[in-house]
Amino acid sequence: MSPAGCPHVNGFKVDNWRQNLRVIYQCFVWSGSVETRKRKAKSCICHLCGAHLNRLHSCLNCVFFGCFAKKHIHEHAKNKRHNLVSNWSLIRYRRGDRVVNSIDLLYGGIYCFLCQDYIYDKDMEQIAKEEQRKAWKLQGVGEKYSTWEPTKREMELLRHNPKRRKITSNCTIGLRGLINLGNTCFMNCIVQALTHTPLLRDFFLSDRHKCEMQSNSCLVCEMSQLFQEFYSGHRSPHIPFRLLHLVWTHARHLAGYEQQDAHEFLIAALDVLHRHCKGDDNGKKSNNPNNCNCIIDQIFTGGLQSDVTCQVCHGVSTTIDPFWDISLDLPGSSTPFWPLSPGGDGSTLNGESHLTGATTLTDCLRRFTRPEHLGSGAKIKCSGCHSYQESTKQLTMKKLPIVACFHLKRFEHSAKLRRKITTYVSFPLELDMTPFMASSKESRMNGQYQQSIDVFNNDNKYSLFAVVNHQGTLESGHYTTFIRQHKDQWFKCDDAIITKASIKDVLDSEGYLLFYHKQFLEYE
């Protein structure tokens, strides 16, 4: 079809075509009332094979329904010279003695056999949208998500400002340094990670925050402004003084110019953002363990399943708790890091190997999800035995977040010592969380689980997009961040200085906070 659109559709726009089109959408496409839905179910079948499915289309010239997949509508168009069909609706369109369009009865799309393509017409599209909204209202669904369309004022602005910024694979928009305001590298490194979180970026750049707080006190409003600054194209370092002030205001334990922990700042920032964007969920039902549909919980919240098993009756008590990050113990800490055999437990999972003797992220996750005997000093009251018994506890992932953040516990604070653990941990560019899911544990217990790699199952696969590192000691150190700008393009953010980095630089770094993004998302 030409860029100008279908040249045949104007032949349909005669007489009372708008009202006819509305009736067709009401009866055969959206079907808002119970009566019209019953009528559609009875009448909308292929007149040749009697099927309901197979991409049913209707002729726009006569009352004929035919399968698109089995080409029954094609046969009708060829034999009757009725060449305009529709997917799940009925439109009359004459071109002399020839009807050249049909309508898709499932989505309402119009197909032209002369153009051999689905066609778009602004007037018809407007009628389709209006009738769709009426049908939703009749069904009690309410207003569903609709794509953004510019207003008349926005169209005028676009016309008067024709210059556009082209995004290429080498584009550096979004890369911007941050001025250190006095030991604030802990804040700068987290800001860099958050501003390069894809879904968070999309949320703030689409202006979806509806503020319900007093002016100048909302951290979400400031983050929105920060995203605008980062993606404005300016190259000079940004001074985040307002962000620092709001952090001091809403997270007072982080106030002052002392060096703070980047992980502690991340959790505090997510908590304040979560509290300040409560009004953005539009009352939609949440589907995460935190029972909140704000953008923070949509992206970062997962569900951690804890199974406590009685050693006497083997009864299991299960709880599911929300989490924003997973803190992992490291070898070298005072917490026993149980040796993991590289032989029988899948040592090459996620592309990692024990050949070099290095501890891997997968090792840490295995350690995190292994059953732990609680001992005689931590007996729990078993609901089955009705008495206090020894038990084992095992953690697994019940629901994975879109962004998984792993905190490697490098700072050890105990009664005897305070130190930094510098053990090198190998982490992959791509991570498969399937072995650590609660569903995988249940499959293993039922003898059904196989650890073979399924290239078609991408539900639990993640890609690395940011790494926060700490250089120095517990008393004196500095935070930097590696961020992924495009596929396989990495940059090192060191306060105001941004430099290009290689994948080797990233994977060879020590690693303190690791940010992974789901590779595939389900549309909701």
Side-chain angles (χ1 to χ4, degrees), residues 25 37 47 83 107 149 183 219 236 246 282 360 379 405 408-409 412 452 505 519:
Y25 274 108
R37 288 199 296 273
H47 287 184
N83 295 320
Y107 301 108
E149 293 182 359
N183 286 330
L219 185 62
S236 59
L246 287 174
N282 295 319
T360 67
K379 291 183 178 180
C405 175
L408 305 183
K409 296 164 70 172
E412 187 172 28
S452 59
D505 294 333
Q519 293 182 355

Side-chain angles (χ1 to χ4, degrees), residues 331 335-343 345 354 359 363-364 366-367 370:
T335 302
F337 192 87
W338 302 330
L340 295 167
S341 170
D345 208 8
H354 287 268
T359 301
D363 287 336
C364 298
R366 287 200 195 102
R367 164 69 174 83
R370 286 185 68 169

Side-chain angles (χ1 to χ4, degrees), residues 117-287:
D117 200 355
Y118 286 97
I119 65 173
Y120 170 82
D121 180 82
K122 184 177 180 181
D123 297 329
M124 292 180 173
E125 182 75 9
Q126 183 61 34
I127 291 173
K129 287 183 177 180
E130 290 173 1
E131 294 304 322
Q132 187 181 42
R133 293 190 187 100
K134 290 179 184 178
W136 285 341
K137 191 172 183 180
L138 285 172
Q139 295 171 22
V141 176
E143 185 71 21
K144 288 189 176 181
Y145 172 77
S146 57
T147 56
W148 172 83
E149 293 182 359
T151 62
K152 289 183 178 179
R153 180 178 177 276
E154 289 169 336
M155 289 294 291
E156 283 296 317
L157 289 172
L158 290 172
R159 274 192 288 268
H160 286 90
N161 297 274
K163 187 177 180 180
R164 301 286 183 269
R165 186 179 296 279
K166 187 176 181 181
I167 305 298
T168 65
S169 59
N170 296 320
C171 180
T172 58
I173 293 178
L175 294 173
R176 194 169 182 184
L178 291 167
I179 297 294
N180 192 317
L181 301 175
N183 286 330
T184 59
C185 58
F186 70 92
M187 178 181 74
N188 291 348
C189 69
I190 298 301
V191 169
Q192 292 287 359
L194 293 180
T195 52
H196 289 87
T197 301
L199 287 184
L200 203 60
R201 174 197 61 207
D202 296 345
F203 174 84
F204 281 110
L205 293 183
S206 58
D207 196 25
R208 290 166 58 188
H209 171 55
K210 302 177 183 65
C211 187
E212 297 180 352
M213 299 184 61
Q214 296 178 355
S215 59
N216 301 324
S217 64
C218 177
L219 185 62
V220 185
C221 290
E222 178 56 28
M223 282 298 294
S224 181
Q225 182 61 38
L226 195 66
F227 272 88
Q228 298 292 336
E229 290 286 348
F230 264 70
Y231 291 90
S232 65
H234 296 310
R235 298 194 175 191
S236 59
H238 179 65
I239 307 174
F241 66 94
R242 293 193 70 254
L243 177 66
L244 182 64
H245 170 71
L246 287 174
V247 169
W248 286 359
T249 301
H250 297 292
R252 295 189 176 278
H253 62 288
L254 297 175
Y257 289 101
E258 296 83 8
Q259 179 65 271
Q260 303 287 350
D261 181 15
H263 173 248
E264 190 175 357
F265 175 82
L266 170 66
I267 299 304
L270 293 179
D271 178 60
V272 176
L273 289 169
H274 157 75
R275 288 189 276 118
H276 288 190
C277 65
K278 284 279 192 176
D280 296 334
D281 57 8
N282 295 319
K284 288 185 270 187
K285 185 179 179 181
S286 65
N287 63 346

